[in-house]
Amino acid sequence: MPSALVQILAIVLFIGGLILVHELGHFLVAKALGVKVLRFSIGFGPRAFGFKRGETEYWLAVLPLGGYVRMAGDGSEDPAKIPPEDRGRGYLDQAPWKRLAISVAGPAMNLVFPLLVFLALAVAENGSLVPGPYVGTVLPGTAAAAAGLRSGDRILSIASPRAAPRPVRWWADLREVVADHPEIPLVVRVQRDGVELPPITVTPAAEVDRNPLETSRRGVLGVSAGYTPALVAPAHPGAAGPLAPFDLVVAAGGRPVKHLGDLEKALAATPCQPVDLEVLRDSAVPLPGATLSTPRAEKLAAVPTCDAGGKPTFLPADPLLSTFVAAVEPGSPAAQVGLRRGDAIAAVNGKAVRSYRDINARSAEFLPRPAEGGRDPEPPSVRLDLADGRTVTLLPTIERYKDELTREDRRRYVLGFQPDRHHRGTDALLVEQVPLARSPREMVADAWEKLAYVVRITFTGIVKLVTGQLSFKAVGGPIMLFSMAAEAAEEGLSSFLVQMAAISVNLALMNLVPIPVLDGGNIVQALLEAITRRPISARARMVAQGVGVALLVTLMLLVFKNDILRLMG
């Protein structure tokens, strides 16, 4: 099927499905409470397709940007023309609690739908292969390294204070417990080379997660379920003979190498002996206006593995394990002080660093984002101590860029050097994969947790928009929604459903905002009548609806403006 047709179908299913879910809630509850439903419409405007069954018309309208359920007695009919048998069946004729139930039903269905989506995805995931409970990489300087965890260790169980040990069946079990206990000692049972070790106590570090909507703390050990690529660099220039910085080892001593774990085993078989290596080396390909690189296979004979003092002549160069500089931007502060490819950073402003995780943390301390507006502030200098004994001082420059979401101007400090960018997401790097097998109770709990997370994030976003803490330029309209639907469809059914679930929650909470003509406005009116025990006058209701329509039209114009600005870049 052509891509364009798939995207069109995806957009129709995405928008139409969410509207159907919402309006179906109102429709079903209204029918159940005896209210006469005149029309059930997906979309606004004239009818494109429809039929009548019983007393209700079912429409597909020409403008698929919403939908509605039109009920009898909504105030738009002449009371004298209402048939005697339909009197008392109108929406406004109902008791406040019934109108409250009808109004709540739409948003409620928009919350039930994502819960069912997350549950269905959890069921579908059962039996799929997931990372097993084996440690692949231990990041230097982290809690895991301090506790003595090693690559290849199998995690049997983990226990938090005053809680029973939780068996670790797959990697997610470990991650969930650790994330919930920052800076709290955990007891870990570990099996190494088939032998269970005495229990290990490890205290996860607290890591701050920031996004435009919230800031949270989570625990991290500094381990991953996979090895890093066998990317290496000489400990210092010329130490490893013909080996060059960022060579990717694919064979050592005649043995194939898939990742760093394989390389370590091959080197351990003949410690400190020269070894024949096969590597992939990036080779620059100059093009008009750009430079690309392509990997070239090289065979390196008798590469020394130890120097005269018994220290390794080459080291892992992956940014998770090292601080080797892979690229220096021409004309940048890093280039001006002579930083070059293959240099290793030992400290930033006097604080030791062991990986790019450390470098990023130190940079965040010394280089906060420059304030927006006014004159550019004097940037703070950054001193780098290099592994070869050199010390350089960089004066960062300020780079201007466009925020991808809001298209607003932003500024950030730039030093001008980068780590390696090799792809690391292949299953070949995992120590082990095991089939996922969760109980029905676990799957329901997982679906509920995901729904609660999306609700919390969406509610926080709405509050920050209302209070001005989040730019309204971050809000998108129908064009952005169409784009999201098309992109999600290209990524697969799972991504498509997750995106639908997220927008469904958004639709539910936005409809609960107490604006007349939205469900939230109807809910407030019903509550007021229930409290005062008096109906709201027809004039007050008309004025409120006029204000609500004006607000919605203004909102639609603003989000269309945002969409158009994004399209224009």
Side-chain angles (χ1 to χ4, degrees), residues 2 70 148 198 233 238 333 380 420 492 560:
R70 184 184 173 197
D420 173 73
F560 263 118

Side-chain angles (χ1 to χ4, degrees), residues 154-469:
R154 177 173 182 171
I155 309 299
L156 301 174
S157 69
I158 184 167
S160 58
R162 297 178 298 279
R166 175 174 173 176
V168 178
R169 301 160 295 175
W170 36 79
W171 193 255
D173 287 339
L174 176 68
R175 187 172 58 237
E176 288 171 9
V177 175
V178 170
D180 291 340
H181 296 87
E183 299 180 331
I184 296 175
L186 303 175
V187 178
V188 183
R189 287 175 52 231
V190 177
Q191 186 181 77
R192 182 176 296 162
D193 299 326
V195 178
E196 184 174 343
L197 305 179
I200 295 174
T201 299
V202 56
T203 303
E207 188 170 83
V208 178
D209 278 345
R210 290 186 178 89
N211 60 51
L213 298 179
E214 66 175 6
T215 299
S216 59
R217 292 171 77 250
R218 64 184 181 95
V220 292
L221 289 183
V223 292
S224 70
Y227 294 106
T228 64
L231 201 70
V232 297
H236 54 82
L243 197 69
F246 302 100
D247 279 348
L248 180 65
V249 180
V250 295
R255 298 182 182 183
V257 171
K258 295 181 181 179
H259 46 64
L260 187 61
D262 287 346
L263 178 60
E264 289 174 345
K265 290 178 182 177
L267 297 178
T270 55
C272 276
Q273 296 298 312
V275 63
D276 294 339
L277 298 179
E278 293 181 33
V279 303
L280 294 179
R281 180 174 296 171
D282 284 343
S283 178
V285 179
L287 295 174
T291 300
L292 300 179
S293 64
T294 182
R296 184 182 72 248
E298 298 276 358
K299 291 188 177 182
L300 310 178
V303 176
T305 59
C306 294
D307 61 16
K311 293 182 178 180
T313 58
F314 57 88
L315 301 169
D318 189 276
L320 292 176
L321 302 173
S322 74
T323 60
F324 285 105
V325 174
V328 177
E329 298 172 16
S332 67
Q336 292 172 11
V337 298
L339 210 63
R340 54 183 179 264
R341 178 178 169 89
D343 281 340
I345 299 169
V348 177
N349 280 8
K351 292 190 176 183
V353 291
R354 302 176 182 86
S355 67
Y356 269 86
R357 182 174 178 272
D358 292 342
I359 291 177
N360 292 335
R362 300 289 177 262
S363 299
E365 293 175 13
F366 300 122
L367 297 175
R369 198 176 78 179
E372 301 296 335
R375 297 180 59 185
D376 289 341
E378 187 69 24
S381 61
V382 177
R383 190 181 83 249
L384 302 181
D385 297 324
L386 305 182
D388 62 5
R390 288 183 294 148
T391 297
V392 296
T393 300
L394 287 69
L395 193 64
T397 58
I398 293 179
E399 178 184 75
R400 288 172 170 78
Y401 67 100
K402 289 281 188 182
D403 186 287
E404 291 185 4
L405 183 61
T406 66
R407 308 310 301 169
E408 293 178 317
D409 289 332
R410 292 283 184 263
R411 301 188 297 176
R412 59 189 170 204
Y413 288 117
V414 174
L415 297 176
F417 65 89
Q418 301 291 340
D420 173 73
R421 301 294 189 187
H422 274 77
H423 178 65
R424 295 168 180 79
T426 62
D427 292 341
L429 298 178
L430 294 172
V431 180
E432 184 191 53
Q433 288 183 296
V434 296
L436 186 65
R438 289 184 291 189
S439 67
R441 180 178 178 181
E442 287 179 305
M443 290 186 284
V444 171
D446 177 72
W448 181 260
E449 288 176 7
K450 288 177 179 175
L451 174 62
Y453 172 78
V454 177
V455 169
R456 188 183 78 243
I457 288 292
T458 305
F459 179 77
T460 301
I462 293 172
V463 170
K464 290 199 170 188
L465 278 171
V466 172
T467 57
Q469 300 176 64

Side-chain angles (χ1 to χ4, degrees), residues 488-503:
E490 290 180 357
E491 293 174 5
L493 179 61
S494 176
S495 177
F496 184 79
L497 291 175
V498 168
Q499 197 70 268
M500 275 191 77
I503 299 301

Side-chain angles (χ1 to χ4, degrees), residues 454-533:
V454 177
V455 169
R456 188 183 78 243
I457 288 292
T458 305
F459 179 77
T460 301
I462 293 172
V463 170
K464 290 199 170 188
L465 278 171
V466 172
T467 57
Q469 300 176 64
L470 183 65
S471 171
F472 189 79
K473 293 181 180 179
V475 179
I479 297 175
M480 182 178 179
L481 200 59
F482 295 162
S483 176
M484 291 169 60
E487 290 177 4
E490 290 180 357
E491 293 174 5
L493 179 61
S494 176
S495 177
F496 184 79
L497 291 175
V498 168
Q499 197 70 268
M500 275 191 77
I503 299 301
S504 186
V505 171
N506 194 291
L507 185 61
L509 297 188
M510 287 298 294
N511 265 280
L512 290 175
V513 175
I515 295 176
V517 309
L518 290 182
D519 295 326
N522 293 332
I523 290 170
V524 169
Q525 290 181 22
L527 289 174
L528 284 175
E529 291 188 17
I531 293 171
T532 61
R533 299 184 181 277

